[in-house]
Amino acid sequence: MAKGVLVDITRCMGCKSCQVACKQWNDLPASNPAFANGLTSPPDMDGYTYTTVKMEVIERDRDYIIRGAKRQCMHCEHPACASACFAKALQRDPKTGAVLYYPHLCVGCRYCMLACPFDIPKYQWDKQFPLVAKCQFCFDPEGKYDRLGRGLAPACVDTCPTGALKFGERDELLKEAWSRINSNPKYLKKVMGEKEAGGTSWLYISDVPFETFGFRPNLGIKPLPEYSHNFLKWTPIIAMGWGTLLTVLYHYTKRREQIASEGDKNVHM
Amino acid sequence: MSENKGLLKEIAEYKWKFTMTPARKVLLLLAGLGVVCMLYRLATGLGTSTNLSDKWPWGLWIGFDVLTGVALAGGGYGTAIIVHVLHRNKYHAIARSAMLTSLLGYLLVMAGLFMDIGQWFNFWRPFVSWGHSSVLFEVFWCVSCYTTVQVLEFGEIVTEKVGTKYHEAFKKALPVLMIIGIVFPTLHQSSLGALYLIMVDKLYPLWWSPYIGLLFLMSSFFVGPAMICVETALAGKAFNHEVPIPVLRGLVRISGVFMVLYLGLKLYDLANRGVFNLMFEGNLEGNLFLLEIILGIIIPIIIAFSGMSNTRRGLVTFGVLVSGGLIFNRMNVVFTGMSAAIGGWYFPSIMEWSVSIGLVAIGCLVYCFIVENFNILEHGEHKVIA
Ligand code: SF4
Ligand code: SF4
């Protein structure tokens, strides 16, 4: 069964220990602190940062509240990035649900970055031969950075002190998400990731709108790879049909031309 | 082995021509500058030479050199259908120059693509690691195969002059190559548009469409004659070679018919998805869209079906408007249509400009060189005399 993580935005206190754990576990270099809104740091994921906690100040009842949402790859059940990659450098592991990046296959076309509905894949712009960077769900078939394959929770979840992140089977997490929503009226009646873009392994619940943290408001529920598939499935038919039609036309018009010129040698087309 | 030597000797002894003119000197300069920037980019990476970023991973090179370049080079296959499959021989006069432009166009597209990929030494990966669920996979295969086919097609022209003993073989292969050479572009002209299908929540609804593939295909077809009008006007000046007006007019009308169909499909699709009114919103997207449709489609249609297409000036206006409209359309898809969803902004760096301009300059120079040395423009008359 595919794994998942439930993110409860109401429980995040913005300590950023998940960010640090991610950097440490994955041997990612740190950088000089830079802030967005004075709170979010680093301001966004980049070629060396797989996750960042988006902190937002929200006005409510003439008061202000702070909310934080950890953003990283959602590990889609029908990943647009993987279906967009023409070199199979991104693949979904059916057992864990992790969407993995295989650097040696990558050509660096960056189509995955545009295809991802959550704007996740980032690029190492400063490198001579840059690679794509994104959260690997702490899954690594090679072993070095593996946690999921060994039955451990991802490093970020393991380190979260407030229980804002919970690791488990996706099905069960989804049930738990809805029971939390139904037992407490403060939550919005929505689990982000239940159906968005065909469903994701990471699920979010919140008491403030998801758009606050950069989720697109118009995410459909249709798996994005279907759009490409519905187009590509016509390719062989069109190629064969069109090729045959052209061949027939070629011979037909050529023959007609021959007959015409044999009939009247003086007419030159 | 000895045969090979013979060929090389033949090439060495052939009297190559290349006239120097002031315009060509400028082109040489631009080409040189472009080459220097390209080498710099390949040596140092994308970050140092471009203004691309995580928000704008695709920029001028993909938008102009690839998406637009392929469409403008589409004239080749359109003409091939008309001349070699339907055997409308009256259009023979422009067949070879259209093919040549197309071949050069594709070579430049390949060069542009090569500049744009981060791991360029890895460019061959998709040949062995099949990401066949990707539309880009189709684009990649079709563009590679089609360029190969075009080079082979061109072999027939080259062997008229050098390596003549291979001429018969090339000639025999031609009909098959022609047909393969029409199927491939049909597929990937549409798949270039279909690249954007997956960006359904990002590309502005005036441009995103379930029919975007078909729209790209149709526009690549009707831009062919427009490009021929522009090209023959330029070549007419440079090489003293005029294509008769009726030939061009015939093509422009074929083009016009497809533009009417295109317009119809476009409007039907907008109405169908309930986004028709977006074009009158008065926002940037709406206004640029209107500009694109009026200048690039509606006015040219009027020119094509009125007396204006009887004059050289009318034909050239048609050519400029339609090709310009197409460039504008592709730019709108890559930039205008995406900017609201992506945020931030992007403007190509000086290096990106000089690479793009350099590539076009190289294309022009090679075109001139080939026209001077092979039967491209005079081919039509040759046939009649022989
Ligand atoms: S969130 Fe984006 S990068 Fe992650 S699996 Fe989904 S499509 Fe791929
Ligand atoms: S950048 Fe790499 S991983 Fe992304 S689509 Fe291109 S080849 Fe695949």
Side-chain angles (χ1 to χ4, degrees):
Chain A
M1 267 333 238
K3 302 289 179 200
V5 173
L6 176 60
V7 184
D8 190 333
I9 288 172
T10 64
R11 296 190 189 182
C12 172
M13 63 173 180
C15 68
K16 301 185 174 104
S17 40
C18 51
Q19 290 180 203
V20 178
C22 178
K23 287 252 179 192
Q24 284 188 336
W25 182 263
N26 293 298
D27 288 334
L28 296 167
S31 53
N32 284 332
F35 290 87
N37 275 339
L39 292 166
T40 306
S41 172
D44 208 343
M45 288 157 268
D46 59 34
Y48 309 94
T49 310
Y50 293 168
T51 183
T52 184
V53 182
K54 296 265 181 196
M55 304 296 297
E56 295 292 337
V57 179
I58 297 136
E59 203 183 336
R60 173 179 286 176
D61 306 331
R62 296 221 202 95
D63 199 1
Y64 294 96
I65 53 171
I66 296 182
R67 289 288 179 271
K70 177 186 179 303
R71 294 293 314 266
Q72 74 296 306
C73 172
M74 303 286 284
H75 297 280
C76 302
E77 305 203 282
H78 305 275
C81 61
S83 88
C85 179
F86 69 150
K88 277 192 168 288
L90 288 154
Q91 293 175 33
R92 182 175 186 268
D93 174 60
K95 269 230 314 275
T96 56
V99 177
L100 283 196
Y101 174 63
Y102 296 92
H104 67 286
L105 294 175
C106 177
V107 182
C109 66
R110 311 181 296 287
Y111 188 31
C112 51
M113 301 171 70
L114 280 167
C116 169
F118 300 99
D119 304 318
I120 298 303
K122 301 290 181 240
Y123 210 51
Q124 299 171 333
W125 293 102
D126 57 329
K127 287 261 180 79
Q128 182 189 13
F129 297 119
L131 293 171
V132 168
K134 77 167 198 67
C135 155
Q136 302 271 74
F137 215 165
C138 283
F139 181 59
D140 179 6
E142 307 266 308
K144 181 155 186 224
Y145 296 110
D146 195 27
R147 293 179 62 93
L148 228 55
R150 301 192 174 114
L152 297 169
C156 53
V157 179
D158 212 35
T159 199
C160 177
T162 63
L165 308 175
K166 185 175 178 184
F167 175 73
E169 298 291 325
R170 184 182 187 269
D171 300 357
E172 284 159 27
L173 291 174
L174 196 56
K175 269 186 226 141
E176 179 168 348
W178 277 110
S179 78
R180 279 195 217 174
I181 290 173
N182 291 330
S183 61
N184 192 332
K186 74 176 178 185
Y187 287 107
L188 300 175
K189 299 262 168 287
K190 171 171 178 153
V191 180
M192 169 59 72
E194 178 176 12
K195 298 202 180 86
E196 278 67 28
T200 62
S201 300
W202 282 61
L203 303 162
Y204 287 70
I205 54 175
S206 169
D207 62 339
V208 295
F210 294 100
E211 291 88 75
T212 318
F213 309 103
F215 287 98
R216 287 182 194 289
N218 59 347
L219 280 172
I221 59 169
K222 182 166 156 174
L224 293 175
E226 273 180 27
Y227 287 97
S228 314
H229 178 75
N230 286 339
F231 170 82
L232 287 172
K233 69 179 181 203
W234 293 100
T235 303
I237 304 169
I238 291 176
M240 295 306 291
W242 187 214
T244 319
L245 180 69
L246 287 171
T247 315
V248 171
L249 274 176
Y250 172 83
H251 287 294
Y252 170 73
T253 55
K254 191 172 179 178
R255 183 90 195 103
R256 211 178 53 174
E257 188 191 36
Q258 265 172 7
I259 291 170
S261 70
E262 275 160 20
D264 185 358
K265 294 258 193 262
N266 295 327
V267 175
H268 201 291
M269 302 273 285
Chain B
M1 212 50 216
S2 69
E3 235 181 41
N4 225 349
K5 235 183 215 155
L7 183 62
L8 286 178
K9 226 173 123 200
E10 206 178 333
I11 292 174
E13 282 167 9
Y14 186 75
K15 276 206 221 59
W16 301 103
K17 285 176 279 209
F18 194 72
T19 336
M20 253 311 153
T21 63
R24 290 188 189 181
K25 280 189 191 142
V26 176
L27 286 175
L28 267 177
L29 191 77
L30 292 173
L33 205 66
V35 170
V36 172
C37 290
M38 282 188 251
L39 292 176
Y40 179 81
R41 173 263 168 274
L42 290 180
T44 62
L46 286 162
T48 50
S49 38
T50 69
N51 281 347
L52 296 173
S53 67
D54 281 334
K55 279 199 158 54
W56 285 99
W58 281 7
L60 184 71
W61 292 343
I62 290 278
F64 180 72
D65 299 39
V66 179
L67 254 58
T68 312
V70 168
L72 293 182
Y77 85 101
T79 330
I81 297 180
I82 295 166
V83 176
H84 295 288
V85 176
L86 301 177
H87 291 103
R88 298 253 176 269
N89 287 346
K90 125 175 164 194
Y91 298 116
H92 229 119
I94 45 93
R96 282 191 167 188
S97 64
M99 260 180 58
L100 175 62
T101 323
S102 177
L103 168 63
L104 293 177
Y106 272 85
L107 290 173
L108 296 181
V109 166
M110 300 278 269
L113 256 180
F114 191 68
M115 285 300 119
D116 206 79
I117 57 177
Q119 308 267 84
W120 49 263
F121 57 84
N122 231 359
F123 74 93
W124 48 272
R125 272 295 171 193
F127 282 126
V128 290
S129 181
W130 284 25
H132 50 71
S133 63
S134 171
V135 181
L136 192 59
F137 182 72
E138 183 169 313
V139 173
F140 177 79
W141 271 87
C142 287
V143 172
S144 321
C145 294
Y146 183 45
T147 311
T148 317
V149 169
Q150 288 201 89
V151 171
L152 291 176
E153 283 178 0
F154 190 62
E156 195 244 351
I157 299 176
V158 174
T159 49
E160 285 173 1
K161 298 273 171 145
V162 285
T164 37
K165 56 176 158 290
Y166 304 108
H167 187 59
E168 279 310 306
F170 274 111
K171 227 176 157 174
K172 277 219 185 77
L174 207 54
V176 181
L177 288 177
M178 282 288 172
I179 288 179
I180 304 177
I182 293 169
V183 172
F184 276 127
T186 313
L187 292 178
H188 79 246
Q189 291 288 0
S190 55
S191 44
L192 275 175
L195 283 177
Y196 280 84
L197 278 175
I198 206 165
M199 297 172 217
V200 52
D201 51 340
K202 295 189 185 173
L203 184 59
Y204 199 74
L206 284 175
W207 289 285
W208 189 90
S209 153
Y211 305 113
I212 190 170
L214 191 53
L215 291 167
F216 264 55
L217 176 64
M218 290 170 91
S219 50
S220 79
F221 188 78
F222 69 60
V223 80
M227 278 296 281
I228 293 170
C229 289
V230 176
E231 185 194 326
T232 50
L234 291 174
K237 280 223 176 73
F239 300 104
N240 251 335
H241 170 266
E242 300 238 296
V243 178
I245 288 186
V247 171
L248 293 179
R249 181 160 208 237
L251 285 174
V252 162
R253 294 206 153 186
I254 299 178
S255 185
V257 171
F258 276 86
M259 294 176 81
V260 172
L261 291 175
Y262 175 91
L263 187 63
L265 177 62
K266 185 93 212 175
L267 296 179
Y268 160 78
D269 169 54
L270 292 178
N272 199 23
R273 282 182 296 123
V275 293
F276 197 87
N277 286 332
L278 281 183
M279 64 175 110
F280 307 114
E281 289 277 277
N283 57 3
L284 182 72
E285 285 91 349
N287 291 342
L288 290 185
F289 179 81
L290 282 180
L291 211 61
E292 172 193 323
I293 292 289
I294 294 172
L295 284 182
I297 307 285
I298 296 177
I299 297 181
I301 290 178
I302 297 173
I303 297 180
F305 294 108
S306 69
M308 279 184 268
S309 54
N310 266 333
T311 62
R312 275 209 193 269
R313 172 180 281 180
L315 291 169
V316 172
T317 316
F318 176 89
V320 171
L321 283 178
V322 175
S323 331
L326 183 119
I327 297 177
F328 196 38
N329 166 258
R330 300 303 195 253
M331 292 296 160
N332 276 338
V333 169
V334 181
F335 301 117
T336 324
M338 295 292 284
S339 73
I342 301 186
W345 79 302
Y346 159 84
F347 191 80
S349 70
I350 296 181
M351 285 223 198
E352 289 176 84
W353 283 113
S354 65
V355 167
S356 288
I357 295 171
L359 285 173
V360 174
I362 293 174
C364 295
L365 287 171
V366 177
Y367 180 89
C368 293
F369 175 76
I370 292 178
V371 164
E372 269 183 46
N373 289 285
F374 299 100
N375 298 329
I376 306 293
L377 299 177
E378 301 307 320
H379 182 61
E381 284 90 312
H382 263 248
K383 262 219 113 153
V384 179
I385 297 160

